Amino acid sequence: MSAESERAERLTELRQKFGRKPLAPGEETIPHSPREAQPKFRGLDSGHRACQGCGEALAARLVMESAGPDVMIANATGCLEVFTTPWPQSAWRVPWVHSLFENAAAVASGMEAAMKAQGKNTKVLAFGGDGGTYDIGFQALSGMLERYHNVLYVCYDNEAYMNTGIQRSSSTPHSATTTTSPAGKERMGKRHLKKDLLSIIAAHHIPYAASASVAFPADLQRKVRYAMGIDGPTFLVIHSPCPLGWKHASALTIQVARRAVECGLFPLVEIERGALTNVMPIRDVRPVTDYLSIQGRFSHLMDTEDTRAEEERAHLQALADYNIQVFSLQGDGEDPVDTGGSAAVGRSGHAARRA
Amino acid sequence: MVSMTRGAYAKPGTSLDFKTGNWRSTEMPAHIHAKAPCHAACPAGEDQQAWFAKLQEGHAEAAWAELVRANPLPAITGRVCPHPCEGACNRAALDGALAIHNVERWLGDEAIRNGWDYPVAAPRANAPEVGIVGAGPAGISAAYHCLRHGLRATIYEASPEAGGLLRAAIPQTRLPRAPLDAELSRVLALPGITLNLRTRLGRDVSLEELRHNHPAVLLAPGCQASTAWSVDGAVPADLREGLHMLKDFVDHGALPEAERVVVHGGGNTAMDLCRLLKRSGSKQVTLITASGLPGPDTDPSDEINVVPRELEEALEEGIEIIDHATINRLIMKGSRVTGVEIMSLRKLPGRDGRSHRIGFEGTERVVAVDMVIPCIGERVEPQGLSGLVERGYLRPSDRFGRLNEGELFALGDARGDRGTVAAAIGDGALAASAVARHLAGEADPVVDDRPEMPNAGLNLTYYDHLPRAEAPKLSVEERTFDTEIEGDIGRVAAMAEAERCLSCGNCLACDNCWTFCPDNAVIKTVELALDGSHYLFDLDYCKGCGLCAHECPTGFIQMLPNANGATEGAV
């Protein structure tokens, strides 16, 4: 039996199992549609089971658009793995491997070595959430960077273990409520600070490490393209709001992500060989309360009666001010690539893209 | 090795089999065309957003063609219109309203320079021929719109030249003869329009004849009859009404000489006259108006009805304005006026629910003057219109201007409730559309009752700061009687100004919805979709998160109550 007819038979079997009509001879599985004629490669397609307004699904698709079709992915356990690949379907349009929570970087290392051995140029990407990157897969990631594999590692940072039910991770920001750092009489949410992962990554002296946000897709995609062009280990952390875990309306995902950047709590920086080489300046710096007040995970900080809330708000403001100072985020005058200019659009697209 | 393109598309076993559209619980996105506020505010019915969109694409001629769908006289209105569009512009709150009138004027001038053809076809030889009285802006607009509807038009004009008040009463400093003549002659030369000059209604032709010869008659005679003016019966011997004085000046340059002048009125005629008198050497020119000056404390309906730019220039030139006041008494020496007594007043709601002007006792003061000029408006000259004039005006019974007698319409200033060139042009368009529908045996056109897009419906994050373009302007010393004061902004500034349009309520094709949808449920198309955008919602996969609506800069995407579940591609 040829591979072709074997495939057809398997498809018929699957269609029957899911109650769909068998294909007529010569019928295409999907009719030609505008979806098939999109002007950008959509490596992560519809039908995935992410929640409404998922920042991670958006971030992954934006990365795939710029990384292009000739890539393969090693994906750590996490929301992204679960919602894109419920058997027997896949939302991915590229080769994709999932093994465990802790070893995406190790699997990617092996895939890259195999490509090298076969003389192929297909770029290997490794995807993980903040749990799989900041915590569980951290030593595998460090090893991958140290061994200098040609892999782009993307961390989708939604600041908690969302897949298993919103447990705190080392990426959860200070004083956010999670199921394992609940706000109450004893504590105002998470006691500890968000781990400064980018500095640790930068300490590996890799060619390129950067942070990006779903609120600034053009900036995000520029960083992906830059990293794709580097022969060596590169790292990207993308701030990806989770409406369920952060407790905000699903329509506000972009607004929340934008305010995180505008208040200084999530600085967008680029680090090459351990040195800070670029930042996105903030045009109009917002107070952190603008960011905190639209999320349920910080609602306990909005209690005007509680003096502890005031103290924590001041603490978070100090952390944001610290970032602004350390990374020189305060812009001087309007700049086409600051937070204001990067957002600007015009007829037929993003302003910066047209210029 | 399989080669893959950017659009590479996998088929078997994809998650596309799983229609997440049935997760949508309460709301779904939809494209809603709201009116841009400029469009809603325009008395001529222009859709400024639509022509700015063409300019943003770089097509000046297409922009002009879109503009003249409503207004055939942009070079004229760009100069004389008080531009309520700019007052309504949502960009005002951001970094200044768009310079709409400057760009409109530039487009009009471009069309004259390049001889762009009006987008109207010649009507059939046997097309019905509408009769129009008056070749002012209302009459000319009506004739032009008749052509757009496939009708012919014959205009009857009493004076030897077309133009009405545009020619008779607007000084060259605001509207030079060159663009006026060029634009009027371009419209009047369109095949299908017949212009009969020196033909006065009631003298050379009667209304009965017109109604006999034409299936519909549109009356746009303007207001020619002065109203008698006196204060408690006192009338100065040398009293001259403002509009007549202005007409004399425009016609042969005559202006009276007086040291101290008081002009009483609150319109463009009064303002033009004040500035001319000041320029001709009067030491002290005072405008007394019952309305208020624009400001945070003035109700828009109570504002002085002049072009804002003109007001600003008048103040620069040293015209004194006393607002919320009236002339209470003339102080006479024999039959000559030597002073006026002024009293403050306000427009206040009365017991009958209507507003009344209430004078305040104790606020009287006397100003010494040599001349008083009333500019208090004119009425319809009743010659040839017997039985139709009611309390000074032709008062129509509906928005199309229909008088209560068959296909007879009243347009422009003669209606008494108008007062701008733009409103006259809008009247022409409305009446022509109603006539065309009537002659085709159809009901009146439907009212466009789409809601207006308020500032709060926009997402202003996505608009960068762009300062408003300023047109060149003559300084006070350089101003004469015949040089235009405001200059041309030019192509570069006009195109830059177009970039500032927020596109309120209409698709900007910015890609935000397509970029931000986490479910790829927004599909971009090369072809323009039926709703005028380049995007489709694939409700098979849309989970209803509302991100696209929230991040739509223009408010074109709104969330509506849900049509439940996957729809197999149908919206």
Side-chain angles (χ1 to χ4, degrees):
Chain A
M1 206 192 276
S2 73
E4 189 73 54
S5 60
E6 204 172 311
R7 190 175 140 267
E9 199 170 279
R10 176 76 183 127
L11 258 178
T12 312
E13 209 174 284
L14 284 173
R15 291 180 75 88
Q16 203 168 7
K17 178 174 175 183
F18 290 98
R20 298 176 63 208
K21 277 190 293 189
L23 289 179
E27 189 193 334
E28 291 284 311
T29 40
I30 299 169
H32 182 77
S33 65
R35 177 173 288 276
E36 287 174 55
Q38 290 301 283
K40 276 186 184 171
F41 171 66
R42 297 255 155 139
L44 176 63
D45 216 329
S46 303
H48 61 68
R49 274 70 152 176
C51 308
Q52 294 177 325
C54 175
E56 190 175 32
L58 169 57
R61 197 252 297 150
L62 291 171
V63 170
M64 292 307 294
E65 268 182 21
S66 292
D70 191 17
V71 294
M72 47 180 67
I73 297 168
N75 204 147
T77 302
C79 277
L80 186 62
E81 169 256 322
V82 170
F83 72 67
T84 57
T85 54
W87 194 87
Q89 296 167 347
S90 170
W92 299 97
R93 296 223 225 117
V94 294
W96 181 91
V97 177
H98 166 242
S99 58
L100 297 169
F101 220 135
E102 63 273 31
N103 64 354
V107 171
S109 303
M111 287 159 70
E112 187 256 355
M115 286 296 109
K116 203 185 257 176
Q118 292 179 27
K120 290 179 181 167
N121 290 325
T122 303
K123 181 95 174 185
V124 177
L125 308 182
F127 288 173
D130 53 287
T133 307
Y134 283 68
D135 299 347
I136 309 179
F138 179 67
Q139 64 88 2
L141 170 60
S142 180
M144 184 197 89
L145 300 176
E146 182 267 329
R147 291 190 303 274
Y148 213 75
H149 288 282
N150 180 17
V151 173
L152 166 58
Y153 190 106
V154 183
C155 170
Y156 299 100
D157 186 0
N158 55 24
E159 304 190 328
Y161 288 83
M162 299 310 182
N163 181 39
T164 48
I166 320 172
Q167 289 83 18
R168 55 92 82 191
S169 75
S170 60
S171 167
T172 304
H174 177 66
S175 74
T177 277
T178 67
T179 52
T180 48
S181 63
K185 263 194 299 192
E186 296 300 322
R187 293 242 175 268
M188 296 298 277
K190 185 184 170 184
R191 176 184 167 188
H192 310 98
L193 301 177
K194 181 181 170 92
K195 186 193 276 182
D196 181 9
L197 183 68
L198 212 52
S199 295
I200 306 174
I201 299 290
H204 290 75
H205 273 251
I206 58 168
Y208 186 66
S211 53
S213 166
V214 287
F216 297 96
D219 174 73
L220 187 162
Q221 294 188 317
R222 175 183 64 79
K223 287 167 177 167
V224 172
R225 286 194 297 275
Y226 187 74
M228 288 294 289
I230 291 171
D231 187 6
T234 48
F235 179 86
L236 197 57
V237 55
I238 303 178
H239 203 225
S240 315
C242 170
L244 200 70
W246 297 11
K247 298 183 178 61
H248 61 75
S250 60
L252 297 186
T253 296
I254 299 299
Q255 188 176 341
V256 168
R258 186 182 309 284
R259 289 188 178 187
V261 174
E262 287 174 339
C263 72
L265 277 182
F266 195 89
L268 300 188
V269 302
E270 290 170 88
I271 298 171
E272 296 179 65
R273 301 287 177 191
L276 184 71
T277 51
N278 197 7
V279 299
M280 181 185 282
I282 304 173
R283 183 174 291 183
D284 301 305
V285 177
R286 277 181 184 276
V288 289
T289 46
D290 280 8
Y291 170 61
L292 306 177
S293 62
I294 54 175
Q295 300 174 66
R297 64 174 173 160
F298 293 113
S299 59
H300 54 286
L301 302 186
M302 297 298 131
D303 185 347
T304 47
E305 308 287 288
D306 195 337
T307 54
R308 296 180 306 163
E310 194 181 341
E311 186 184 322
E312 294 300 351
R313 285 202 306 273
H315 190 172
L316 285 164
Q317 184 63 57
L319 290 172
D321 294 345
Y322 170 84
N323 283 340
I324 290 170
Q325 199 202 339
V326 166
F327 295 110
S328 309
L329 295 176
Q330 178 97 58
D332 44 348
E334 294 190 359
D335 186 320
V337 293
D338 65 14
T339 51
S342 299
V345 298
R347 190 161 296 276
S348 70
H350 185 265
R353 231 181 295 143
R354 294 180 304 143
Chain B
M1 198 175 143
V2 182
S3 68
M4 289 197 274
T5 62
R6 284 181 75 75
Y9 203 82
K11 285 176 181 174
T14 71
S15 57
L16 289 173
D17 280 352
F18 191 83
K19 304 284 201 272
T20 50
N22 58 14
W23 292 14
R24 236 174 22 252
S25 49
T26 54
E27 290 182 315
M28 60 184 264
H31 289 153
I32 307 289
H33 284 274
K35 270 187 209 167
C38 48
H39 175 39
C42 182
E46 266 180 48
D47 191 347
Q48 288 85 344
Q49 184 278 327
W51 57 259
F52 271 120
K54 298 276 191 248
L55 265 191
Q56 288 178 342
E57 290 168 5
H59 305 310
E61 186 174 356
W64 174 81
E66 177 66 42
L67 197 173
V68 298
R69 275 162 50 100
N71 171 11
L73 307 172
I76 293 170
T77 51
R79 289 176 163 87
V80 304
C81 186
H83 47 75
C85 50
E86 292 184 24
C89 180
N90 273 335
R91 185 132 203 160
L94 195 58
D95 50 12
L98 260 76
I100 300 176
H101 77 278
N102 299 98
V103 182
E104 179 181 69
R105 165 184 159 168
W106 175 77
L107 277 175
D109 289 352
E110 267 308 89
I112 295 168
R113 267 195 291 276
N114 299 320
W116 291 336
D117 291 325
Y118 278 93
V120 289
R124 287 178 291 112
N126 62 347
E129 189 157 343
V130 177
I132 298 168
V133 175
I140 290 173
S141 163
Y144 169 80
H145 282 280
C146 283
L147 295 196
R148 289 191 65 239
H149 292 293
L151 307 173
R152 296 179 159 271
T154 301
I155 308 179
Y156 302 90
E157 165 63 43
S159 17
E161 282 183 292
L165 276 195
L166 293 174
R167 187 178 297 283
I170 299 186
Q172 299 235 28
T173 48
R174 279 215 282 149
L175 178 60
R177 292 301 96 129
L180 172 69
D181 290 337
E183 196 154 62
L184 290 185
S185 59
R186 266 162 58 78
V187 175
L188 292 169
L190 291 172
I193 299 183
T194 313
L195 174 63
N196 299 308
L197 295 171
R198 300 185 184 84
T199 311
R200 182 178 290 279
L201 185 70
R203 184 187 73 191
D204 306 310
V205 67
S206 75
L207 189 56
E208 288 64 41
E209 275 173 69
L210 293 185
R211 298 195 71 177
H212 182 260
N213 295 340
H214 300 286
V217 175
L218 314 183
L219 300 172
C223 294
Q224 314 287 347
S226 300
T227 35
W229 185 80
S230 70
V231 179
D232 290 338
V235 182
D238 60 348
L239 181 74
R240 295 207 32 228
E241 200 277 325
L243 185 67
H244 285 186
M245 200 179 274
L246 188 59
K247 282 179 173 173
D248 282 352
F249 167 75
V250 171
D251 192 35
H252 51 270
L255 271 181
E257 281 175 27
E259 284 276 294
R260 299 162 297 177
V261 188
V262 159
V263 178
H264 185 205
N268 281 312
T269 302
M271 192 57 84
D272 281 337
L273 209 52
C274 283
R275 298 178 60 190
L276 289 171
L277 288 165
K278 183 80 183 177
R279 228 169 284 154
S280 79
S282 293
K283 289 267 171 349
Q284 179 194 315
V285 181
T286 308
L287 178 72
I288 295 176
T289 172
S291 310
L293 293 176
D297 300 332
T298 311
D299 186 74
S301 68
D302 192 29
E303 257 176 37
I304 185 167
N305 182 26
V306 300
V307 180
R309 179 183 73 237
E310 302 290 321
L311 178 61
E312 190 185 302
E313 289 170 7
L315 293 170
E316 280 172 12
E317 290 165 13
I319 309 293
E320 188 194 356
I321 299 177
I322 301 177
D323 64 337
H324 286 136
T326 189
I327 296 179
N328 204 32
R329 191 161 67 89
L330 293 183
I331 297 161
M332 312 281 283
K333 184 176 176 189
S335 66
R336 290 189 59 82
V337 66
T338 57
V340 290
E341 183 184 291
I342 297 168
M343 182 191 227
S344 296
L345 58 66
R346 285 275 172 172
K347 207 166 162 186
L348 294 170
R351 259 185 230 150
D352 57 358
R354 289 166 56 185
S355 289
H356 296 272
R357 288 184 163 151
I358 312 286
F360 301 120
E361 221 176 294
T363 61
E364 302 88 349
R365 64 262 194 205
V366 171
V367 177
V369 298
D370 304 316
M371 179 178 275
V372 176
I373 306 170
C375 294
I376 48 164
E378 295 70 36
R379 308 224 151 182
V380 173
E381 175 64 55
Q383 188 186 8
L385 292 169
S386 53
L388 291 174
V389 179
E390 195 184 319
R391 284 174 288 126
Y393 301 107
L394 300 171
R395 296 179 187 271
S397 59
D398 66 13
R399 54 190 285 273
F400 300 104
R402 199 173 269 121
L403 297 166
N404 279 328
E405 305 194 24
E407 290 305 284
L408 189 63
F409 293 75
L411 281 56
D413 282 353
R415 291 181 52 151
D417 55 354
R418 291 299 191 244
T420 62
V421 175
I425 289 170
D427 282 353
L430 278 173
S433 69
V435 168
R437 302 273 299 202
H438 174 77
L439 294 179
E442 293 166 19
D444 282 339
V446 289
V447 183
D448 176 6
D449 57 358
R450 291 177 296 153
E452 210 178 301
M453 176 55 59
N455 195 288
L458 307 174
N459 189 335
L460 296 174
T461 310
Y462 293 104
Y463 300 107
D464 211 349
H465 296 300
L466 296 167
R468 173 179 163 125
E470 292 301 334
K473 199 166 82 168
L474 295 183
S475 68
V476 175
E477 299 76 43
E478 291 170 313
R479 292 176 198 170
T480 62
F481 288 111
D482 45 17
T483 317
E484 190 170 15
I485 290 171
E486 193 176 49
D488 179 17
I489 59 166
R491 167 176 282 271
V492 174
M495 292 311 231
E497 202 57 22
E499 283 294 304
R500 300 179 68 234
C501 177
L502 305 177
S503 193
C504 306
N506 288 278
C507 186
L508 189 55
C510 69
D511 280 358
N512 264 8
C513 54
W514 184 60
T515 304
F516 283 130
C517 178
D519 298 296
N520 300 8
V522 178
I523 302 287
K524 188 171 180 175
T525 60
V526 179
E527 308 79 20
L528 209 56
L530 279 179
D531 58 23
S533 84
H534 284 283
Y535 311 95
L536 304 169
F537 293 115
D538 190 341
L539 294 179
D540 278 356
Y541 301 105
C542 170
K543 293 168 186 162
C545 68
L547 253 189
C548 52
H550 193 273
E551 301 311 320
C552 179
T554 72
F556 179 55
I557 304 176
Q558 293 178 24
M559 299 304 283
L560 297 184
N562 190 28
N564 231 341
T567 55
E568 300 299 332
V571 180

